[in-house]
Every structure is written in C-alpha cells, then in structure tokens.
Amino acid sequence: MSTIRTLSVPGIAYGGDYNPEQWPEDVWAEDMRLMREAGVTMVSVGIFAWALLEPSEGVYDFARMDRLLDLLHENGIAADLATPTAAPPAWFFRAHPEALPVDRDGRTLSYGSRQTFCPSSPAYREAALRIAGALAERYAGHPAVAMWHVHNEYGCHNAECYCDTSAAAFRGWLRARYSDDLAELNHAWGTTFWSQWYYDWDEILPPRATGAVPNPTHQLDWRRFCSDELLSLYVAERDVLRRAAPSTPATTNFMVMDNFDALDYWRWAPELDVVSNDHYLMSADPESEIDIALSGDLMRSLAGGPWLLMEHSTGAVNWQPVNRAKGPGELRRNALAHVAHGADGIAYFQWRAAKAGAEQWHSAMLPHAGTDSRIWQDVVALGQDLKALAEVRGSTGTASVAIVWDWNARWAVELPSQPSGELRFQDLVRDWYEPLWRAGVAVDFVRPEADLSAYRLVLAPSLYLVDDAGAANLAAFAERGGTLAVGFHSGAVDENCHVRLGGYPGAFREVLGVRSDELFPLLVDETVGLSGGGTATLWSERVRLAGARAVTSYTEGPLTGVPAVTRHTYGAGTAWYLATRPDPATLGALLTRIREEAGVEPVATTPLGIEAVRRRGPHADYLFLIDHGGQGAEVPVAADATELLTGKPALGSVTVPPGGTAVVREPHGADGS
C-alpha cells in the first residue's frame, strides 16, 4: 500500500485547511507571517472554491489561485491543492437539477450546503472531471503544489442517493457482481422470502423506504455499491490529475472516526498515493484519547505505514449538540498521540476561524480572538514540537496483536431485525481494544483474509459476517500455533448474509470447539452474573462444549451454569470464545490472561494513566509517553536515549510532566535490535 513517504514536504508536515477566499487579500500577508511564526509547512487550498474558480460552465478565473500559490511558494509553504468537487456551484444545479440527491423517502434535496449531488450523476461526473482537468493543466508544474487533495470527505453527506439514476447505476453494479445472472442474484438475496423474486433487472430498486424490513442482502449490497460508486469518482479525478502530473501524489481525506461508516476503506486505501484521515472528538466521549489511538492504529494499518492527519480541531467543533472546548494541554496531547500512532503530518480545520458561514463556530489555528489566545499559543508551541520530531517521519509501528476489522461485517451486524438492536460494531471493537491500549500493547487492524503470520494473537470482537476464505484463514492461524479470540455473534452469516446452519457461532464452531443452539440477548440494562466474579450485559447464548472447556459460566438467569467463556486447544494453537459482553474490568482481566498466554508484552512498562506507543525506524525506536491521567510519571528508558522535545539526554529515565508528553529516541544496537 501507499505511504506518506511520497510527500515532498520535509519532516512532520504541519498546517491546515486554508480558505483565503473568505477574506480580503490584504489579510493574506498577515496569514503568511503568522504561518511562518507557527511553523506551518503545508496548507490545503481550494477545497470549496469551485464557484469562484469556475463562475460559469467552462469559464475559469484562476487569477486569485495564481496569486495565492505564488504567495505560498514565496513563503516556503507547500500547497495541498484540492479539486473543489465536494461543493458544486449553484449554476451547475440550475442547469442540472437531475443531479440533486434523493433521500430514502423520495425527497429531492436542495443545493445550498455541500455534497448536494448524486454520486451516480453523469452531469456531475462530467463537471467534476472538467474542473479537475483545468486545475491539473494549469498547476501541474507549479512549485508550491506538493500534493493533490481530491474532493473532500467522500460520502460525508451524500453516501447514499436513491434517485432513478442511482437505481440504474446500482443495477449495473449488480449485473457485474452477479455475472449478469439474475438467478445468481435471487439466490444470493434469498428472494423466495416474502415473494421478492426478480424476473427482470429493471425490477430492482435501491432499498427505499418501504412498509416493513427490507431484504438484508439487498441492503448490504447497496452499502457496497455506494462505497464503490464514490470510489469510482475518486479514481476518475485522480487519474485526470495523474496524467498531468504523474510525480505529484494524490490523496483524499478518509473519516476513520466513531460515527462514520459509509465507505469500505480497505478497498479505498490502495488507490491513494498518500493515505490521510480526518478525525474529530465526540464531546460525549469522556476518554476520547482511546478513539484517537484506535483510529490512528486503523489508519496505520490501512496505509501499511505512516499516514497524514488531514483535519482535526484545535478546540471545539460546531456540529454536535454541545461542542466541548479542549482543556489545558489537550491540543498538544491529541496531536502528538496522532503522531505516536503513525501520522507523519498534522493538519487542522482550519487555519483562520470563519466569521461567516455554516462553520463560523468551529475552532481554528488562528481563532476569532486572534494571537492573544491560548489556542494560538498552543498552535505555535506545537509547531516547535513537530519540528523537533522531524526524524520520526517514516518510522512506523510494529505489533504482535491484530484485531479483525471488516466494513462488510460492520454494515451487516447493524442492519435491522437482528436478535438485538443494541449491537454496535464500533463499541464492541473498542471494548476489546481499550484494555490493550491501557496496557501499552501495540495493535494492528487486519481484514479476515490478511496474512497473519506476523502475529501471536488475533482478536475478532465482532465478525458477524465472514466468508469461507476469511473464516478458514483465522482457523488456520490458530491451527499453526497462534492464539485466536472470537466475540459473540461472529461467524453467524456468510458474505450474502445467509445464516450458517448447524448452530452458532457458524463458521467458527470447529476452531472454537463449541456449538450454541439458541441465542438469549439481554435487555437494555439487564445484567447476569459470571462465575469468578463480574457481570455481563447485552448478550448470552446456550453454549454446548464440543471439545472446548468452560473458563467462565453464568451464575444466574435462564442459562445458569452454561459456559460464557471457553478455551479450546486447536492444532498447535488456542481458540477462545466470549459468548457474552463482560463488564470492563472482567473483560480486561480476561484479555490480559489471553495475551500473556500468547506471549504478548507491552511496548513499555508505565504507570497507570501513561499511554506508551512505539514507532520503529531504521536506526532508532521512538517511544511516545503521553500522560492522560494528569499525574505525570518517571519512566525507565534506555541508557543512551534522548528526549526529543527537549533535546536532553534521558540517562536511563524520562520525566513525563502532568498532562504532558515525552518522546524518547532509543537507538538500535549494532545488530538492529
């Protein structure tokens, strides 16, 4: 896969979205001066400038962009030049009202915000490629342009369009998927149920609002189609840019964060020259540092190495019910945590806080209060930190634990008409990730069919849907001597959402050595006791041992005495099954036992509240120590280590200040160890 090493900006890139078109040009000179003061090295420009760049169809005005790019180059600041295709101008929709998106209930949505287009619209595609081509032709050789920024946050607001144009495109996608064989589609969708059999391709529609629960495989294929349709737009624009400037890398900003699941980024990542991400904290999350770590590890896994943080916030955002500002030191901790988990660039939305428009209350690097503000002071200080960490660029994380992450499984388990409507993929994965994070254990994320030979322990917290190849791959990992742990309701259905018959957990019965014959999901707030202490929520099932042994059983309820956690020797390895959702302390203790049995050690021994993350370079390891507990700590390190943020020798230990961060270079020995 591609990595940020293709980006020409030296060191850890630093900057944000720059929208000078929102300001008089006499402000630009001040922007340049302040960017230099803050240590900014790259800004994203032109993201929402389509209406100004092309005031009418085929008529371009590049004078402002010419001046801007020249000014950036004169000041030593690189440009991540965007195709402005996330926000078509009003003139486009007046000419092509058929390009407006239609929601599930059949309402045509108006323009007047952003991403108000149908992804399948031929008129939109033509217009998007035209403006991308004009930009490529004009700026392919401009010395300021270090990277192309294609579109912005694909699928953020228009991941699904249910119009007739989308319906026709969906049918074309289905014909390709099912080899133009309607019988194959009918079998895959199980259309004998509820008289849904299709005799003609034109009978198939998107899963629009209907009177009862739509067909689950229909819905799943729709999610796959929507992801692929947007990906085809990215690839088309990228190819236009690549033809004009083959050596300039292209990216688009993913949204690997808690509340976004529209796109299958395993399919997207190989198409990017630089893999980048937008990540925003949820105000309701009291430990958002865990989501930063999880998202960063997932991004590093998608990229196959370092990646670029394209957007996050200096303080509050503007789109949540209550938008929490960041506390003292949080801006720095957040940014350096992203670097710890693989980011080779840190950027914000946006450079200068807007005084008008839909995001006028979104924080920025230069806030409404100006330079006499804590945010500005923190932004300048962070620029110095990133400069001190320049040598970290290109290093990456290594892990002996992998967590299985699959967007198809995520989409499928959250479809309606499950045994429990409380199942949420992201929550279940975070349950298992959190104890590893607290222990300082490095984690990769993998697809079910990935090469698992580098790992001692593979965890599948939620893998409701898995195909035969993925299931066989995970079983073979255990058989060869690995440790596999699988969460409840995994392996239940195949890639077509067909239940695997013969008992649960379906595809994993043999490797786990269990067979469940009935599911007993728990009511909201219902708990059951577990032997050895602790409780469980959300889920239970009647597990029968078929070679495994019980580790923990239920002590109350209809399944009293039935195994809740099992362990099975399989080939040369071990397979665990968690048939319920233990409370956090119980789950943490169980996962500690599992990983210790697998021989997995933390990257460093640190006191409670200190996050430890290690990046490995060709000549040194870089140990990031981040204090989230506010107490600070003294942490032992190598005798020849150096703390990079201060430049001081560590001499065998380093002090992490309360709420602060230390980054320690530990040189490799002569043998590279």
Side-chain angles (χ1 to χ4, degrees), residues 24-83:
E25 287 197 30
D26 58 11
V27 175
W28 295 9
E30 180 186 34
D31 285 334
M32 296 302 107
R33 177 180 64 82
L34 293 176
M35 284 182 189
R36 293 196 305 271
E37 180 180 334
V40 167
T41 59
M42 184 175 73
V43 292
S44 298
V45 295
I47 293 175
F48 295 115
W50 193 345
L52 300 179
L53 292 171
E54 189 180 7
S56 61
E57 183 172 349
V59 176
Y60 302 106
D61 181 357
F62 292 123
R64 183 186 289 103
M65 184 62 74
D66 290 347
R67 294 192 297 274
L68 172 62
L69 292 177
D70 290 347
L71 187 62
L72 289 171
H73 182 59
E74 290 166 10
N75 284 272
I77 300 168
D80 170 35
L81 178 57
T83 62

Side-chain angles (χ1 to χ4, degrees), residues 67-263:
R67 294 192 297 274
L68 172 62
L69 292 177
D70 290 347
L71 187 62
L72 289 171
H73 182 59
E74 290 166 10
N75 284 272
I77 300 168
D80 170 35
L81 178 57
T83 62
T85 53
W91 61 255
F92 169 79
F93 291 111
R94 289 190 67 191
H96 299 285
E98 78 283 359
L100 289 166
V102 174
D103 71 10
R104 189 169 178 267
D105 293 319
R107 297 177 303 167
T108 299
L109 305 181
S110 178
Y111 60 91
S113 57
R114 65 177 187 176
Q115 292 182 323
T116 52
F117 63 87
C118 164
S120 299
S121 164
Y124 168 78
R125 181 180 289 252
E126 179 183 350
L129 297 186
R130 185 176 63 239
I131 185 67
L135 285 164
E137 180 181 353
R138 190 172 189 89
Y139 298 117
H142 197 288
V145 178
M147 183 166 64
W148 299 113
H149 184 305
V150 182
H151 198 81
N152 186 72
E153 296 182 337
Y154 275 102
C156 182
H157 302 287
N158 65 338
E160 300 172 271
C161 173
Y162 294 82
C163 73
D164 290 341
T165 301
S166 295
F170 181 42
R171 288 191 286 269
W173 183 92
L174 291 169
R175 294 181 83 137
R177 179 175 177 83
Y178 294 106
S179 306
D180 209 23
D181 186 343
L182 256 180
E184 185 179 342
L185 177 141
N186 278 302
H187 172 73
W189 286 18
T191 56
T192 53
F193 189 82
W194 279 2
S195 189
Q196 292 174 347
W197 190 273
Y198 295 104
Y199 290 95
D200 190 289
W201 289 102
D202 287 342
E203 295 171 356
I204 300 173
L205 298 173
R208 295 167 175 164
T210 187
V213 178
N215 181 303
T217 318
H218 185 178
Q219 294 177 82
L220 179 60
D221 270 351
W222 172 251
R223 298 295 299 269
R224 291 164 170 158
F225 158 76
C226 291
S227 177
D228 283 358
E229 193 75 344
L230 287 167
L231 177 57
S232 75
L233 289 176
Y234 166 78
V235 169
E237 284 196 40
R238 181 209 61 194
D239 287 351
V240 167
L241 300 169
R242 186 174 282 174
R243 284 193 292 271
S247 63
T248 303
T251 190
T252 191
N253 36 347
F254 290 176
M255 296 179 67
V256 171
M257 49 193 286
D258 177 74
N259 62 338
F260 185 78
D261 72 345
L263 307 180

Side-chain angles (χ1 to χ4, degrees), residues 312-338:
H312 69 313
S313 67
T314 57
V317 298
N318 69 300
W319 43 267
Q320 298 180 38
V322 176
N323 295 291
R324 184 182 67 83
K326 293 188 177 182
E330 191 174 0
L331 181 153
R332 185 185 196 227
R333 287 194 303 276
N334 289 171
L336 295 184
H338 285 293

Side-chain angles (χ1 to χ4, degrees), residues 31 33 46 71 91 103 105 122 150 159 249 278 335 346 374 448 535 543 545 560 585 600 631 640:
D31 285 334
R33 177 180 64 82
L71 187 62
W91 61 255
D103 71 10
D105 293 319
V150 182
D278 293 354
I346 295 294
R374 190 192 73 192
T535 59
V543 171
L545 301 179
T560 297
V600 173
Q631 304 301 311
D640 58 350

